[in-house]
Amino acid sequence: NINIVDPNMPTQVNPQKQKTAFPPNFVHSLDASHMVLSAIECKIAGLVFASVHDSYWTHACDVDKMNTILRDQFVRMHTEPIMERLKAEFEERYSDHMLPVASWDYVNSFSFEKNGALKAGTQRLSKTTREQRRQLVETELARLHLETCEDTVGEDMVQQQITANDAELAESMEPVDLTSIELVDSETDPVGAARQADLIAYTTRINAGRIRDERKAIMKEHRERVSRLRSYFTRQAKAAKAAKAERKPRKKFGSVEPTVESAEPTSKPQVVTEAGKLEAADLDAINSGVLAQDSLDTYIETLKLDRDLQIDRLQAKYPTKFDRPLIISLPAGSRAAEVEQLKLLIKQGKLAGRLVKSHRFDKLTFDDLPAQGDFNINEVLQSPYFFS
């Protein structure tokens, strides 16, 4: 049989083997470093030196000298910040390195009626979202790298079915205060975090509807207010024109001298005050002389600014965005019990989202080093158990 291997093709990575293989290899490299340091010092001291891994030889007359050299070089090497340097080297060398990761993501995918009730029935989404289509090649490469992959991306994108408990779930949904909400830690309580994510998503959707409805009401009220003002001043202009026509001098038939009909001065038109006509603020502006026919356009511009300010305040009153991503990721395989619990709650209609098996590349990160122990490395110099 002939096997052709392309070294550039992605191959499966066994995380467990990677974890168990590195520590002994690293320790072997430290043994080799100690051997090299010892060989150099033995040469400087004029000793004949031979070794195989961690077994060292010299002439019998020089064994004590070699023993001292071995201990000194061991202490010298291990007083250096070996682990700190290793971590710094890894962080620099692999700063742009990405690792394939498989995880179960809890995603809010439910929708609501206008009154806030959950829409009945299972909502099926497309097999791939726009973002996943954009990253399709990367996703497939990550999936090929992982031995734990069992399903295809398309199959995993199907939403978990919500049963007939939709009504119970809808009744349990209440908007929350997004400005003072205390977030649940998804690492320690993924179910609680998923429930909270449902409430946050529900609140943002409800708030979006509130903003839409109140914006329409504000716009309608503004249009009607402007319309009433324009109608009022139109009627006032017509009344003033009619009054002026009545006061115009008239000539009597056959007379050269014009005579003016006596008439009582026309009184100032009264401002309408009936409910539903003009706003109280507009009436005050007219009666005080602030608002007149020639200043109507400027006054309306002021009303527009006030209208826009009211609309802008709606976003602060009803937040529709939340800084925390409403996606809870659980590593595939390592938290199987919690994943199954989420699946059950979704199936029972107690959670409104869905679970998605995702495959992606995440940036490689390194944990902080544990605290150093209290062992004094200098004890090696006097211990009868080292290099004896």
Side-chain angles (χ1 to χ4, degrees):
N1 296 331
I2 299 177
N3 293 326
I4 300 176
V5 179
D6 184 353
N8 296 318
M9 287 295 291
T11 56
Q12 293 180 344
V13 175
N14 189 317
Q16 187 60 34
K17 289 183 178 181
Q18 292 287 321
K19 292 178 182 178
T20 57
F22 176 78
N25 285 324
F26 180 65
V27 172
H28 288 325
S29 73
L30 296 180
D31 292 340
S33 299
H34 175 243
M35 182 191 70
V36 171
L37 292 173
S38 300
I40 293 173
E41 288 300 315
C42 285
K43 183 178 181 180
I44 294 174
L47 274 64
V48 175
F49 180 82
S51 69
V52 175
H53 189 47
D54 56 357
S55 181
Y56 310 107
W57 298 289
T58 189
H59 294 301
C61 61
D62 295 327
V63 167
D64 290 340
K65 291 182 181 179
M66 185 184 71
N67 187 288
T68 300
I69 291 174
L70 294 177
R71 291 170 184 261
D72 288 341
Q73 297 308 309
F74 187 85
V75 171
R76 172 191 169 190
M77 183 180 72
H78 285 284
T79 52
E80 296 291 330
I82 296 175
M83 298 306 298
E84 288 79 2
R85 290 175 178 173
L86 176 67
K87 184 174 184 291
E89 178 186 347
F90 278 3
E91 289 176 339
E92 181 179 358
R93 178 182 295 181
Y94 302 111
S95 60
D96 297 328
H97 194 74
M98 308 294 286
L99 284 180
V101 176
S103 65
W104 284 101
D105 295 341
Y106 178 79
V107 185
N108 297 109
S109 61
F110 49 92
S111 56
F112 301 91
E113 303 287 357
K114 289 184 177 181
N115 60 0
L118 280 172
K119 287 185 177 180
T122 301
Q123 303 294 321
R124 295 178 64 88
L125 302 182
S126 60
K127 290 186 177 182
T128 55
T129 64
R130 287 190 297 271
E131 179 66 15
Q132 285 175 324
R133 283 197 294 270
R134 187 180 67 82
Q135 298 178 349
L136 184 59
V137 174
E138 179 180 315
T139 300
E140 285 300 310
L141 285 176
R143 193 177 65 82
L144 289 172
H145 274 78
L146 294 167
E147 292 182 336
T148 56
C149 295
E150 299 176 354
D151 305 317
T152 65
V153 175
E155 293 171 347
D156 290 325
M157 289 300 296
V158 178
Q159 180 185 354
Q160 298 290 326
Q161 183 175 0
I162 298 178
T163 62
N165 291 326
D166 282 339
E168 177 184 346
L169 179 59
E171 291 176 358
S172 64
M173 287 286 188
E174 293 182 359
V176 294
D177 185 0
L178 298 183
T179 60
S180 61
I181 188 171
E182 184 176 350
L183 298 179
V184 177
D185 186 0
S186 60
E187 290 294 325
T188 58
D189 186 8
V191 174
R195 174 61 177 169
Q196 188 179 66
D198 285 351
L199 295 178
I200 292 173
Y202 176 79
T203 301
T204 56
R205 286 164 171 79
I206 293 297
N207 285 350
R210 289 170 171 171
I211 290 177
R212 181 179 61 252
D213 294 341
E214 291 196 17
R215 184 181 184 277
K216 288 181 179 179
I218 292 173
M219 295 293 291
K220 181 181 179 181
E221 180 183 356
H222 173 78
R223 288 193 301 269
E224 293 177 350
R225 184 175 181 180
V226 171
S227 177
R228 288 194 297 267
L229 282 171
R230 292 191 184 280
S231 298
Y232 166 75
F233 280 103
T234 299
R235 292 195 303 270
Q236 293 292 80
K238 290 181 179 179
K241 185 177 180 180
K244 183 178 180 181
E246 291 178 359
R247 293 195 301 270
K248 185 177 180 180
R250 298 178 180 178
K251 292 182 180 181
K252 288 188 176 181
F253 180 77
S255 175
V256 177
E257 295 296 330
T259 59
V260 180
E261 294 182 355
S262 62
E264 295 294 332
T266 304
S267 60
K268 182 180 178 180
Q270 296 296 317
V271 177
V272 288
T273 58
E274 295 85 355
K277 296 297 182 180
L278 293 182
E279 297 287 335
D282 299 337
L283 288 172
D284 293 340
I286 294 172
N287 292 328
S288 63
V290 174
L291 176 57
Q293 178 68 49
D294 55 353
S295 61
L296 177 59
D297 291 339
T298 302
Y299 188 80
I300 290 176
E301 289 299 322
T302 304
L303 295 181
K304 287 181 179 179
L305 293 176
D306 182 64
R307 175 203 65 188
D308 295 340
L309 183 60
Q310 291 183 61
I311 293 175
D312 292 340
R313 288 172 179 168
L314 292 177
Q315 189 63 51
K317 184 179 180 181
Y318 303 119
T320 58
K321 296 181 180 179
F322 197 69
D323 293 337
R324 174 182 176 178
L326 300 180
I327 298 179
I328 300 168
S329 295
L330 298 174
S334 62
R335 305 182 73 171
E338 292 166 321
V339 170
E340 291 303 317
Q341 185 180 10
L342 287 173
K343 286 183 178 180
L344 179 61
L345 293 173
I346 293 172
K347 186 176 181 180
Q348 293 175 345
K350 296 179 179 179
L351 289 176
R354 62 191 175 97
L355 278 176
V356 177
K357 185 77 166 292
S358 66
H359 306 88
R360 61 183 181 275
F361 283 95
D362 282 353
K363 188 175 182 179
L364 180 63
T365 58
F366 300 93
D367 295 335
D368 294 334
L369 294 173
Q372 189 174 2
D374 56 0
F375 177 74
N376 185 0
I377 191 65
N378 290 306
E379 293 182 9
V380 172
L381 299 175
Q382 305 299 329
S383 174
Y385 301 106
F386 290 92
F387 309 111
S388 298

